[in-house]
Amino acid sequence: MLRVMPDVVGGPLSQLVRHGLPVWLESEGYAGSTASQVLAVARGLSQWMDDRGVGIDGLDVGVLDSFAAAHGPGVAGRAIVEQRLPTIRRFLMGLGLVPGAVRPLKRPRPPGGAPPLRVDAVVEAELAQWGYWQREMRGISEGCIRTRRHWVSPLVASLPQIEGRVCWEGCDVDALNAFVAQRCRGWSQASGVLILDATRSLWGWAVATGRVQRDLRGGILRSKGTRAALPKGLTPSDVASLLDVCDLSTPAGIRDRAVILVLSRLGLRAGEAAGLGLDDIDWNGGRLSVVGKGRRLDLPLPVDVGQALVDWLEVRPRSADRRVFIRVRKPAEGLSPAGISGIVKHRARDAGLGVVHAHRLRHSAATNVVGAGGDLVEAQELLGHRSAESTLVYARTDLSSLRILTVSWGRWPR
């Protein structure tokens, strides 16, 4: 993505980009790779301002917003601008160059960097009731509810209102598919899956609450290229390779080893590992308390995982953040789910395993339980699945047991 930004800095911010910004990034403890991305976007911003005749005196919130809007869906460099522009904004605010600006969040919210849709009271009430249903009836996490709301708020806002209520009757499968096609335009396949998931959830709620009489979810478009597949866990030797490349002479390596063990032995999701707090560890009872999918789970703490956590806590930087896994560089704050998955990705690359994300270690934990002779109930308890149906897919990974059920070609089963 860096190649879409200019290599040579010009424009009204050139002096700041050459001198002030690099020093500030170093003082804030940003990694070299992150700092190079921030500087690339800053060069792009400076050149963009110069092309439009905007001087440093004309810099304001509107200029930054316009620069971000110019890198919308389908525009090269969109991802890096979305990720790094908030850091540049904080830097400029510290110099007093963006008067009246509000300190931005480190990660834009809602997802996608788009501003939240302004909705009236009727639509807001409808979305709030959908959120309550997801939380209380389906056990969906707050983060997932926010993401779904972001994707399909325009659909609810587009429906007509009659006597102070949203009129769902006029929405048919063609309207739903037209919305999905328009909403997915310019987004990746992964985002398209999220849009479809949110649309189906919204319609499922409308059916369950009597707002509509017909369940149209079967007629909603499906994402291109999606297919059911076996869970792809890592083998024990692959997990051992991940652990071997962690440099235990450094705090980062000790932390990364603890992260990998927590994911691979306990089957935690990246978000659950990121949200794990110091107070969630019961050392006397040998248990770990984890919040997953809207509910709290108590998991046994294996000896090797507990020892890895102890090793990390002994070198963990001092921080007011009570989360277990934090950055080893300033600012020493909790890792995000993306940060947890990034650890796995980078260690897998070092181990020569190719692209591996954190969720594959969750699959590894479940497949190892089944492969070692455990039953699906044990796998379900480990993963925290509410329904046994969610765990059934792991039955197909027990190849040794499945071979017993196979019949030779040309023979009738008895």
Side-chain angles (χ1 to χ4, degrees):
M1 299 296 285
L2 289 176
R3 65 180 182 276
V4 303
M5 297 296 169
D7 295 326
V8 180
V9 60
L13 303 180
S14 58
Q15 292 301 316
L16 290 176
V17 176
R18 286 196 188 98
H19 307 293
L21 183 55
V23 174
W24 181 80
L25 291 169
E26 184 177 359
S27 68
E28 289 289 305
Y30 283 91
S33 58
T34 302
S36 66
Q37 293 179 354
V38 174
L39 291 170
V41 176
R43 292 195 298 269
L45 172 62
S46 185
Q47 187 63 57
W48 184 87
M49 292 173 60
D50 190 47
D51 292 343
R52 286 155 182 78
V54 179
I56 195 168
D57 294 337
L59 182 63
D60 57 18
V61 177
V63 171
L64 297 180
D65 289 345
S66 297
F67 176 70
H71 294 80
V75 178
R78 175 195 178 194
I80 191 176
V81 169
E82 179 181 301
Q83 292 174 0
R84 304 310 178 194
L85 187 59
T87 301
I88 298 171
R89 184 177 177 182
R90 284 193 297 273
F91 167 70
L92 296 173
M93 285 174 58
L95 298 177
L97 295 177
V98 192
V102 178
R103 183 178 178 84
L105 296 169
K106 279 205 165 184
R107 289 191 176 274
R109 193 190 302 180
L117 178 72
R118 297 185 180 276
V119 298
D120 60 27
V122 175
V123 174
E124 178 62 40
E126 202 79 342
L127 293 171
Q129 291 182 52
W130 174 41
Y132 176 84
W133 178 80
Q134 293 179 82
R135 186 184 311 108
E136 301 300 325
M137 303 301 293
R138 307 294 295 174
I140 305 300
S141 68
E142 290 295 335
C144 183
I145 292 172
R146 286 196 302 268
T147 300
R148 285 176 170 177
R149 175 188 169 117
H150 164 70
W151 289 123
V152 297
S153 290
L155 173 60
V156 182
S158 68
L159 298 176
Q161 297 181 20
I162 300 176
E163 298 180 353
R165 70 175 182 87
V166 174
C167 181
W168 292 81
E169 291 81 359
C171 187
D172 56 16
V173 71
D174 291 335
L176 289 175
N177 284 329
F179 166 77
V180 168
Q182 187 277 330
R183 196 73 173 96
C184 290
R185 189 171 297 119
W187 293 95
S188 67
Q189 180 179 324
S191 295
V193 171
L194 296 177
I195 293 169
L196 288 163
D197 168 73
T199 305
R200 291 194 177 97
S201 172
L202 177 68
W203 198 261
W205 164 74
V207 173
T209 55
R211 284 168 168 78
V212 294
Q213 301 302 315
R214 297 180 60 192
D215 190 348
L216 304 177
R217 285 175 291 180
I220 298 177
L221 295 170
R222 294 188 177 276
S223 177
K224 180 178 64 175
T226 58
R227 64 186 186 274
L230 289 174
K232 296 181 179 179
L234 297 179
T235 65
S237 62
D238 288 338
V239 176
S241 298
L242 285 178
L243 297 173
D244 289 342
V245 297
C246 296
D247 185 359
L248 300 186
S249 65
T250 66
I254 296 173
R255 178 203 60 194
D256 293 355
R257 184 175 187 275
V259 167
I260 292 169
L261 277 172
V262 164
L263 296 175
S264 62
R265 296 279 278 121
L266 301 181
L268 267 60
R269 302 176 179 88
E272 293 166 352
L276 186 64
L278 296 173
D279 300 323
D280 294 329
I281 306 175
D282 180 3
W283 296 105
N284 292 328
R287 302 192 69 81
L288 208 64
S289 183
V290 179
V291 177
K293 292 285 187 177
R295 60 176 179 157
R296 186 171 291 274
L297 304 171
D298 287 326
L299 299 174
L301 184 60
V303 174
D304 56 344
V305 178
Q307 185 59 56
L309 288 172
V310 169
D311 294 341
W312 159 239
L313 294 177
E314 287 178 345
V315 299
R316 179 180 181 271
R318 286 192 172 188
S319 173
D321 199 309
R322 296 290 294 171
R323 283 174 286 183
V324 172
F325 298 117
I326 64 173
R327 289 167 48 93
V328 295
R329 298 181 180 180
K330 294 180 180 179
E333 56 189 20
L335 292 174
S336 66
I340 295 292
S341 193
I343 288 174
V344 179
K345 181 179 69 174
H346 294 143
R347 294 295 164 255
R349 180 192 60 197
D350 296 341
L353 298 178
V355 179
V356 177
H357 297 291
H359 213 72
R360 285 190 65 185
L361 291 180
R362 176 173 168 84
H363 292 321
S364 302
T367 53
N368 289 340
V369 167
V370 176
D375 56 31
L376 292 180
V377 174
E378 293 175 305
Q380 179 184 354
E381 292 177 350
L382 175 66
L383 298 179
H385 287 159
R386 286 179 177 268
S387 171
E389 293 182 0
S390 301
T391 320
L392 281 176
V393 65
Y394 292 100
R396 294 186 285 161
T397 65
D398 187 3
L399 300 181
S400 298
S401 299
L402 289 175
R403 288 191 186 99
I404 301 174
L405 303 177
T406 61
V407 178
S408 300
W409 174 256
R411 294 180 57 188
W412 288 98
R414 295 181 180 179

